[in-house]
Amino acid sequence: MKTYFSDLRLISSAITVAVRLLSVFVILGLYELSIYILPKEIEFVSEIAVLTCLVFGVFGILPIQEKISGFLKSTFVSEYLSDDPGSSRLAHRRFDSEGLIKNVFPELVRLTNSNFGKLAILKNDLVHYELYTYAHKKQRKVNTFEGINPRAALLTYILNKRSGAMIGEPDQNKIINEDFVSLRANFILPFVFREKLFGFLAVSNIPKDNVRHELGFLAGKCALAVHNQILSSQIAENKKYRKELENAGKIRKFLESPEPPMVGDIKIDLLSREPGELLEFFQSPSGDFYFVFLRLSVTNAVSVLALCYILGTLYSSRLNGESKNVLQIKSLVEDNLKEISWTERYDLAAGMVEKETGKISLRFVGKKFKLFDASKPDRNLASIGWENIETPGKDALFLTWNDRNIISFQHLGIQP
């Protein structure tokens, strides 16, 4: 028998008693109604009324009673603190760590007769912990760096202490004792599920043995709740990015030019393209062609979305007539990368091929680009920091990135 009854447990017990009494009155009312409705000429009226109430009570009243009790407990009491199996199943389905923090955390502190406690909850990155404090019936969130270090020896230590760890135990070392002091804790209860630490409770009092048993049971529920919360968040995030990746692929496939353009007498050949690269050609009203090569340092769903965003910006700029030279094209791409908070490294080449003169203008961002004549492959014609202007001769010009040929330019009007 429990020696300590908290406010929430008193509320839970009151709800259970109230709902059961209501069920008894409903069944008694049904019995009186049956007596009143059944014809008096029938023998065994009372027995028939009792049988009717019994059937209706088993198959109707009891399920409704459980539903009402579960609803009231989920409203006024946390599902994780309820002994009702239906409420526990509801808690596991909801994946609600907010309810765990709001209702269960203060209850766990009260069960230990402590006035102060800290709760650590594992974040979705499966590395860091969010910390919450409870003191004098007030609850607040604190920054992670003010609390437990995710690589602290304390986490490894309490992982093997399913029933809780007390300060000053024989197998504790100096560092672990310091962690206890920094948390202002005399007792730490870990939340472990499948050999993974999903959080812990640190309180100022050491609970009694019978309370520690109950705390251990609730700790298992807490670990499962945090695990399900993280799992559901990861599933939702993966579905979101998978859908966005599919849409981005459709947009990019629709907008990409199937073949490189022919600009006057200049033949342009696309030699290679890899994932994580954007290579597009845009024609100006005068007939000149701009081209952009953008290589991002990472290739994932986010990078594909970034490339599609840049692609849409370039097309919009072309339709509005905003891009009139190579410098504007280069600045447009860089400004939009900053706008979407792209912090990873990238390589960018923006260029233009003039229809009348056949001149090629290029600007670069990154050190892996090279522009060379086919007759002199060791000589780099391009430099970073200003606009490079070249005119293809009898031999083709090659633009490379990281020693990989990307585009070739050749003047077809000049015979070799």
Side-chain angles (χ1 to χ4, degrees), residues 255-352:
L255 293 176
E256 282 179 352
S257 302
E259 296 291 339
M262 183 79 175
V263 186
D265 292 332
I266 304 297
K267 180 185 179 184
I268 304 175
D269 289 321
L270 176 61
L271 304 179
S272 67
R273 176 185 291 172
E274 292 184 355
E277 294 178 351
L278 172 66
L279 179 57
E280 290 295 327
F281 296 87
F282 309 91
Q283 187 177 17
S284 68
S286 62
D288 300 333
F289 267 86
Y290 296 96
F291 63 90
V292 174
F293 173 82
L294 177 61
R295 170 79 187 197
L296 302 180
S297 58
V298 295
T299 302
N300 53 26
V302 178
S303 68
V304 173
L305 293 175
L307 291 177
C308 288
Y309 177 78
I310 297 298
L311 180 62
T313 303
L314 291 171
Y315 269 90
S316 176
S317 174
R318 187 201 67 169
L319 294 175
N320 296 332
E322 298 174 354
S323 302
K324 299 179 180 179
N325 56 52
V326 176
L327 181 59
Q328 288 180 342
I329 292 284
K330 171 180 172 293
S331 300
L332 178 66
V333 175
E334 291 184 310
D335 290 344
N336 280 275
L337 285 173
K338 292 179 182 178
E339 183 178 334
I340 61 177
S341 302
W342 182 263
T343 57
E344 304 291 338
R345 184 180 56 81
Y346 63 89
D347 295 297
L348 170 65
M352 180 184 68

Side-chain angles (χ1 to χ4, degrees), residues 37-69:
I37 292 177
L38 288 174
K40 301 299 184 291
E41 294 80 5
I42 299 178
E43 296 186 14
F44 310 111
V45 173
S46 299
E47 290 78 359
I48 294 176
V50 170
L51 181 60
T52 302
C53 294
L54 180 62
V55 173
F56 186 79
V58 171
F59 295 101
I61 297 297
L62 285 180
I64 295 175
Q65 171 187 305
E66 295 298 324
K67 293 290 184 181
I68 295 176
S69 178

Side-chain angles (χ1 to χ4, degrees), residues 237-254:
E237 185 176 2
N238 289 337
K239 286 183 178 179
K240 173 186 174 183
Y241 281 118
R242 189 182 302 115
K243 185 65 177 179
E244 291 180 345
L245 180 60
E246 292 174 358
N247 293 336
K250 293 177 182 178
I251 294 172
R252 185 175 181 182
K253 183 178 181 181
F254 175 75

